[in-house]
């Protein structure tokens, strides 16, 4: 009570594209009365009965919603059982002083006396502690709902630790298995080696420690081994902390192309420990910065100007919200492809010798120019030090036409109305797209 649920709840529902339901409002509507009147006229016991009925009905609904439930409801074993069965519970952190300040002026039946309020708060503390996650504000709520925590790597505990060999050596990771550094690990052969070496059971948890490549491989092995075991992601690059570790896409490459085999399999938890980033090479840092700039353009905020921990938290929360709204990539998640249609073509035409971050930088400039956002394009060019690449123009154009996300042979672009407002599935005349692609090539 007084933690700010009725402000945060609707905001979170908006961010996740879900309905917001307040159990108190359902009780009030059904009783044709207010909560205070029910308390005053019929007593707390009568309210708790109505609250239990309402909460159980709300929790039995199939459509995912954000549900506001008062702390008192947790005293009901039936409500607690329904929460455990069908909800992810989030505690809104507050102190008793903050909460009292918020409720003292209101007409809440259980907030009429400060000593009683404190006793109630302390009495319920052990129930609150059982929540699946906790948060203070909106981004924190989104991250908690997506299972993302900013915490030391030691918080990721599992049965089998699988680490990028380079990261394991640099950061003294005691790994059960190591995998080759970076993209070279994303092969069917490496997946098979892990499948055949794992001595895990259905209840096991795999812990993946490394960049996006390691997480993609281990997540895929977790999705497929014994038809699916749980896994935890411990991302060690900036790319992985702001992008690859979030959203549940896992997979490996084939000789025919990147990420051609995979599965959606969300990690049970993603533990972001920014102390890993200290050992990143200049190139890996630049790869991450390009994704941060992409995220900032989609969010309409200059996220790249924040300091590392806050920048990571905000970018991760942005991606988490998009992925929670569209978990299987059937709609608006396509916005995360901003700049990537061009980037993939440039990378493929260079046989992957152009680093991803450099390609994304060029791709973002192309998308901004086609969006008519020249000032933003200039700024990104400057910020990422974007330089044209030396590749064959025809090879790049053919690679662009083969884009995985094309529909009926026509390239679907993500552009921006303005920063913060993406436009998906934009089809432009070929000559316009080709001339922008050509401008990225030296
Ligand atoms: N699943 C997704 O949603 C998603 C999203 C974006 C990218 N990805 C994938 O992620 C991969 C790229 O991942 P990445 O950019 O994180 O890099 P990476 O995993 O390929 O690693 C790149 C290099 O950085 C090294 N490295 C990792 N952590 C380090 C650290 N803390 N200090 C020093 N060196 C470190 C690695 O050993 C490797 O040499 C691609 O395969 C891409 O397809 C997946
Ligand atoms: Zn990318």
């Amino acid at each position: 009570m007084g933690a700010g649920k009725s402000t945060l709840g609707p905001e979170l529902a908006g961010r996740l594209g879900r309905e917001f339901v307040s159990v108190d409002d359902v009780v009030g509507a059904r009783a044709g009365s207010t909560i205070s009147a029910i308390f005053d006229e019929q007593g707390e016991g009568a309210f708790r009965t109505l609250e239990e009925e309402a909460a159980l009905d709300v929790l039995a609904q199939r459509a995912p919603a954000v549900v506001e439930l008062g702390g008192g409801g947790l005293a009901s074993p039936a409500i607690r059982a329904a929460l455990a069965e069908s909800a992810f519970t989030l505690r809104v952190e507050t102190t008793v002083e903050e909460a009292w300040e918020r409720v003292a002026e209101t007409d809440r039946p259980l907030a009429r006396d400060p000593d009683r309020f404190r006793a109630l708060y302390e009495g319920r503390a052990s129930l609150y502690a059982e929540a699946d996650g906790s948060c203070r504000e909106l981004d924190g709520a989104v991250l908690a709902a997506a299972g993302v925590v900013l915490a030391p790597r030691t918080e990721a505990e599992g049965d089998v630790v699988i680490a990028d060999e380079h990261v394991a050596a640099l950061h003294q990771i005691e790994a059960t298995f190591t995998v080759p550094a970076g993209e070279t690990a994303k092969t069917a052969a490496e997946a098979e080696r892990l499948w055949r070496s794992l001595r895990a059971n259905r209840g096991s948890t795999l812990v993946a420690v490394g960049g996006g490549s390691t997480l993609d491989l281990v997540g895929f092995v977790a999705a497929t081994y014994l038809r699916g075991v749980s896994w935890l992601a411990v991302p060690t690059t900036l790319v992985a902390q702001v992008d690859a570790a979030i959203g549940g896409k896992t997979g490996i490459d084939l000789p025919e192309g990147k990420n051609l085999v995979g599965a959606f399999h969300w990690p049970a938890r993603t533990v972001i420990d920014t102390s890993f980033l200290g050992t990143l090479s200049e190139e890996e840092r630049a790869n991450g910065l390009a994704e941060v700039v992409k995220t900032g353009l989609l969010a309409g905020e200059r996220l790249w100007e924040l300091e590392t921990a806050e920048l990571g938290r905000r970018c991760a929360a942005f991606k988490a919200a998009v992925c929670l709204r569209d978990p299987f990539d059937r709609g608006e998640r396509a916005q995360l492809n901003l700049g990537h249609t061009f980037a993939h073509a440039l990378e493929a035409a260079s046989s992957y010798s152009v680093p991803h971050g450099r390609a994304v930088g060029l791709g973002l400039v192309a998308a901004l120019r086609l969006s008519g956002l020249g000032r933003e394009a200039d700024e990104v060019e400057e910020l990422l030090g974007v330089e044209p690449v030396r590749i064959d123009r025809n090879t790049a154009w053919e690679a662009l036409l083969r884009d995985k996300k094309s529909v009926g042979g026509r390239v679907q672009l993500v552009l921006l109305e303005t920063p913060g407002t993406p436009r998906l599935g934009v089809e432009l005349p070929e000559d316009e797209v080709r001339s922008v692609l050509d401008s990225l090539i030296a």
Side-chain angles (χ1 to χ4, degrees):
M1 194 191 323
K5 296 188 297 298
S6 28
T7 310
L8 186 56
E11 284 175 1
L12 180 61
R15 244 341 243 291
L16 301 184
R18 297 182 183 191
E19 193 195 350
F20 173 71
V21 185
S22 150
V23 171
D24 276 3
D25 288 353
V26 174
V27 171
R30 286 182 179 180
S33 181
T34 66
I35 306 302
S36 327
I38 299 171
F39 261 80
D40 292 345
E41 290 156 18
Q42 306 174 47
E44 180 169 353
F47 170 75
R48 294 294 169 208
T49 307
L50 296 172
E51 181 187 47
E52 185 175 284
E53 271 172 30
L56 296 181
D57 288 349
V58 168
L59 290 169
Q61 278 166 23
R62 280 180 53 103
V66 173
V67 177
E68 176 189 5
L69 176 68
L74 295 178
S76 151
I79 294 182
R80 287 212 304 279
L83 289 172
E85 174 69 26
S86 59
F88 179 87
T89 53
L90 202 51
R91 176 180 69 245
V92 184
E93 297 283 356
T94 187
T95 62
V96 65
E97 290 76 20
E98 280 169 344
W100 174 252
E101 214 158 277
R102 282 208 197 89
V103 296
E105 304 295 309
T106 67
D107 177 39
R108 299 201 201 187
L110 295 176
R112 290 174 187 158
D113 170 76
D115 293 333
R116 185 150 176 249
F117 183 77
R118 177 178 288 276
L120 200 60
Y121 181 91
E122 284 163 2
R124 288 174 181 172
S126 64
L127 291 173
Y128 298 152
E130 285 173 23
D132 298 317
S134 75
C135 64
R136 287 195 154 273
E137 41 63 77
L138 185 55
D139 276 338
V142 172
L143 289 171
V148 181
V149 291
L150 273 86
R153 74 188 81 148
T154 45
E155 297 235 335
E157 279 182 49
D159 312 274
V160 182
V161 177
I162 304 170
D164 174 306
E165 63 184 2
H166 180 53
V167 176
L170 276 176
H171 292 271
Q172 288 90 45
I173 306 292
E174 281 185 35
T176 324
F177 302 104
T178 56
V179 296
E183 192 79 29
T184 49
K186 283 178 62 172
T187 61
E190 206 47 47
E192 179 177 4
R193 185 180 71 89
L194 290 172
W195 287 323
R196 298 184 65 181
S197 339
L198 283 173
R199 298 282 174 272
N201 57 50
R202 288 296 291 277
S204 300
T205 298
L206 312 187
V207 181
V209 185
S213 298
T214 311
L215 305 191
D216 275 3
L217 168 73
V218 175
F220 176 65
V221 167
T224 44
Y225 187 68
L226 301 179
R227 299 198 181 85
V229 296
S230 147
W231 73 293
L232 306 180
V234 183
T236 64
T237 62
L238 187 55
V239 168
Q241 294 192 351
V242 301
D243 188 351
I246 320 258
K249 278 192 185 177
T250 71
I252 55 174
D253 303 332
L254 294 182
E256 286 71 21
K258 268 175 59 83
N259 298 322
L260 286 183
V261 175
F264 286 98
H265 189 47
W266 285 67
R269 244 150 75 90
T270 295
V271 177
I272 298 184
D273 179 343
T274 50
S275 74
F276 278 113
L277 305 182
T279 53
L280 283 185
S281 66
E282 231 11 85
E283 179 176 316
E284 296 309 331
R285 210 176 285 282
N287 285 340
L289 185 61
E291 305 296 350
V292 170
V293 171
K294 177 192 83 173
T295 308
L297 289 168
L298 289 170
E301 292 185 71
R302 307 173 71 81
L303 298 177
W304 54 86
E305 290 176 354
L306 300 170
E307 54 83 27
T308 311
E310 184 59 8
L311 167 156
R313 203 179 75 91
R314 298 290 310 282
C315 288
F318 181 85
K319 182 166 181 196
V322 173
C323 295
L324 286 169
R325 291 198 296 268
D326 180 16
F328 298 107
D329 199 6
R330 293 191 180 131
E332 64 153 310
R333 187 161 169 167
Q335 68 180 273
L336 300 173
N337 228 27
L338 181 69
H340 278 62
T341 308
F342 291 98
H344 292 151
L346 300 174
E347 288 178 284
S350 76
S351 306
Y352 294 91
S353 64
V354 171
H356 186 63
R358 183 167 176 210
V360 171
L362 286 159
L364 290 174
V365 170
L368 290 167
R369 297 234 183 273
L370 288 171
S371 302
L373 297 171
R375 196 165 50 84
E376 286 80 359
D378 292 345
E379 188 182 351
V380 168
E381 224 162 41
E382 165 93 39
L383 190 68
L384 297 177
V386 173
E387 300 262 359
V389 282
R390 251 173 228 292
I391 51 174
D392 180 67
R393 284 165 202 259
N394 287 326
T395 316
W397 177 242
E398 274 153 28
L400 191 102
L401 292 177
R402 278 198 313 272
D403 188 77
K404 260 195 293 195
K405 279 145 185 140
S406 298
V407 177
R410 288 190 310 277
V411 180
Q412 308 283 305
L413 293 170
V414 181
L415 301 182
L416 296 179
E417 204 72 63
T418 57
T421 314
R423 287 168 59 200
L424 309 184
V426 183
E427 289 178 16
L428 292 177
E430 279 199 1
D431 55 342
E432 209 177 319
V433 179
R434 179 149 196 180
S435 96
V436 168
L437 178 69
D438 280 345
S439 74
L440 309 176
I441 299 170

